[in-house]
Amino acid sequence: MKKIMLTGDRPTGKLHVGHYVGSLRRRVELQNSGEYDDIFIMIADAQALTDNADNPEKVRQNIIEVALDYLACGLDPEKSTLLIQSQIPELCELSFYYMNLVTVSRLQRNPTVKSEIQMRNFEASIPVGFFTYPISQAADITAFKATTVPVGEDQMPMLEQTKEIVHKFNSVYGETLVDPKILLPDNQACLRLPGIDGKAKMSKSLNNCIYLSEEPEEIKKKVFSMFTDPNHIRIEDPGRLEGNTVFTYLDAFCRPEYFPEFLPEYANLDELKDHYKRGGLGDMKVKRFLNNVLQAELEPIRNRRKEFQKDIPAVYEILRKGSEKAEKAAAQTLKEVKAAMKINYFDDEELIRMQAAKYTEE
Ligand code: ATP
Ligand code: MG
């Protein structure tokens, strides 16, 4: 069986370091491993409109920002197909048929949708499109016959929903859709990177992000304002690592070579953590180190982005070509889906012959 990867992001803002450790970094590694037959990276504008229907300009403006972040991180249009969701009408058709296989109560139980509804104050008036976006996500994944979906932990309920739709479809209409596998980050800290405010998840909607394209001064300001252990007041106090955002970020970003470069008095992260727990290590010193680490990680990304920014029409051209290629793949799947559901009347010569025979016999 072919190995196909699909994943994507909503164009609701520039991409942040949570996206990077949760999914983007992995996508680039997988892309460069050469193990995949096809890679589809989707800018999910139609999904972004499900909770931004009154602000299409925001979605429109952010398509290019997400595309630039992709290219800056090393997604290569020669190896990966970059596409815009709304340009693939087949995805809507697939969603429409999948809706018959999902119940309202099943959607209501989806924990990610539940918390997102709460976050957006949608309780009293949930847009139907937003409520059903897990179904449209199943259409995205299955349209490209994805076997692997590298995403952050918040996407786990979406993948479960997709798998259920695949199983249901295949059992009702016959083996047609491919069962996808979720690929979560191995590193615990990257499953759901917290915001700089220590809140559960860094998210464009919560205003607690460090963006991939952020300038050095801004990164520094954000690192120095970061949430740590509120009880670690004097340097000699013992500190807590749990819920300490600065250490979570070090878990997510620190590489062994950063110690000799920026903090040679410690051999590794474990030594630094031990000292913090014992007491005698101040927050400022750890923040200075984290700032150096993040600057080293983000500088090459920012510089590559600036190169791509010089030719914006070329980036739109990459998206246009990618969307065209993606539509061909989705159209093939839709054809197979319609055949399995027996709604391919005009392609089904047997049907036409049988119906004709019925009336000639009379
Ligand atoms: P929005 O607030 O508009 O939903 P978002 O910041 O949650 O935006 P998405 O576009 O919904 O971003 O998510 C894109 C991908 O990035 C998904 O795979 C998601 O799991 C991953 N991701 C987003 N935020 C984080 C995070 N804080 N930690 C790890 N992965 C994340
Ligand atoms: Mg999200």
Side-chain angles (χ1 to χ4, degrees):
M1 195 167 74
K2 278 191 167 181
K3 284 181 84 167
I4 299 176
M5 172 167 110
L6 171 113
T7 184
D9 307 271
R10 295 152 40 94
T12 48
K14 293 179 176 176
L15 297 185
H16 53 64
V17 296
H19 297 122
Y20 185 65
V21 296
S23 171
L24 257 172
R25 181 161 69 180
R26 191 65 163 285
R27 294 177 207 175
V28 175
E29 277 166 22
L30 294 179
Q31 168 196 271
N32 295 337
S33 75
E35 283 175 20
Y36 283 78
D37 298 293
D38 263 317
I39 298 172
F40 295 96
I41 308 290
M42 186 178 79
I43 302 182
D45 62 336
Q47 190 189 115
L49 284 166
T50 65
D51 59 331
N52 289 283
D54 55 354
N55 199 356
E57 198 52 33
K58 171 173 153 191
V59 174
R60 180 183 166 84
Q61 293 298 329
N62 279 305
I63 298 233
I64 191 75
E65 303 299 340
V66 172
L68 285 166
D69 286 330
Y70 283 170
L71 297 166
C73 286
L75 285 174
D76 174 355
E78 295 291 318
K79 298 178 185 158
S80 298
T81 305
L82 309 185
L83 65 122
I84 305 180
Q85 187 185 26
S86 63
Q87 304 306 298
I88 323 291
E90 287 80 359
L91 300 175
C92 299
E93 253 185 282
L94 287 172
S95 303
F96 191 69
Y97 296 125
Y98 295 170
M99 281 186 188
N100 303 331
L101 307 176
V102 181
T103 63
V104 170
S105 66
R106 175 63 183 86
L107 287 173
Q108 277 166 336
R109 281 202 309 275
N110 184 312
T112 302
V113 176
K114 256 192 204 165
S115 72
E116 287 179 342
I117 284 173
Q118 223 171 25
M119 212 167 90
R120 289 164 176 75
N121 292 322
F122 272 167
E123 282 97 337
S125 53
I126 312 164
V128 174
F130 185 80
F131 182 62
T132 56
Y133 92 74
I135 302 177
S136 109
Q137 224 164 297
D140 305 334
I141 294 169
T142 54
F144 301 108
K145 299 188 164 72
T147 51
T148 308
V149 185
V151 283
E153 195 185 36
D154 62 314
Q155 293 301 308
M156 237 154 86
M158 304 303 159
L159 253 285
E160 279 162 21
Q161 179 77 77
T162 300
K163 289 170 85 65
E164 280 174 34
I165 291 174
V166 168
H167 298 160
K168 183 90 195 230
F169 189 100
N170 288 349
S171 76
V172 176
Y173 304 114
E175 263 326 287
T176 312
L177 301 177
V178 176
D179 198 3
K181 275 203 179 58
I182 189 168
L183 192 64
L184 293 170
D186 318 317
N187 181 336
Q188 191 64 28
C190 302
L191 284 171
R192 189 180 291 251
L193 194 78
I196 53 170
D197 54 358
K199 289 247 171 62
K201 177 178 173 286
M202 180 179 287
S203 168
K204 285 169 280 185
S205 314
L206 293 174
N207 226 345
N208 58 4
C209 306
I210 296 178
Y211 292 96
L212 289 171
S213 48
E214 209 109 62
E215 290 297 330
E217 263 317 295
E218 201 54 33
I219 298 171
K220 189 171 167 193
K221 235 170 46 202
K222 289 188 176 177
V223 169
F224 280 88
S225 74
M226 231 174 213
F227 184 83
T228 58
D229 170 6
N231 297 319
H232 185 239
I233 296 161
R234 289 164 307 171
I235 290 182
E236 57 274 26
D237 290 339
R240 267 175 71 87
L241 301 176
E242 296 74 27
N244 190 321
T245 316
V246 176
F247 278 96
T248 310
Y249 280 42
L250 283 175
D251 280 331
F253 289 97
C254 193
R255 301 171 198 260
E257 59 266 32
Y258 289 140
F259 278 95
E261 197 177 346
F262 300 126
L263 204 59
E265 58 269 45
Y266 298 89
N268 53 43
L269 196 50
D270 286 337
E271 269 190 17
L272 188 74
K273 286 179 177 173
D274 284 343
H275 194 181
Y276 192 79
K277 282 194 288 194
R278 265 197 329 270
L281 173 58
D283 281 349
M284 287 310 266
K285 188 165 182 175
V286 190
K287 284 183 171 176
R288 258 197 306 274
F289 178 51
L290 175 63
N291 177 51
N292 285 328
V293 167
L294 280 179
Q295 299 287 358
E297 290 281 313
L298 297 182
E299 188 189 89
I301 297 178
R302 191 173 53 243
N303 290 343
R304 265 200 308 270
R305 195 185 206 274
K306 286 188 174 151
E307 286 306 306
F308 286 108
Q309 280 168 203
K310 290 180 186 159
D311 193 355
I312 294 296
V315 179
Y316 276 105
E317 192 52 24
I318 289 169
L319 295 175
R320 195 178 62 78
K321 284 206 180 113
S323 301
E324 274 170 19
K325 181 179 168 194
E327 194 190 355
K328 288 204 181 84
Q332 176 58 32
T333 304
L334 181 63
K335 200 170 162 203
E336 290 161 18
V337 161
K338 284 176 129 177
M341 293 176 73
K342 301 196 182 298
I343 52 175
N344 58 340
Y345 316 113
F346 308 131
D347 296 336
D348 190 346
E349 284 173 17
E350 176 71 6
L351 169 77
I352 298 170
R353 213 172 40 75
M354 293 288 287
Q355 297 293 358
K358 200 165 82 186
Y359 285 101
T360 45
E361 275 158 20
E362 270 174 11

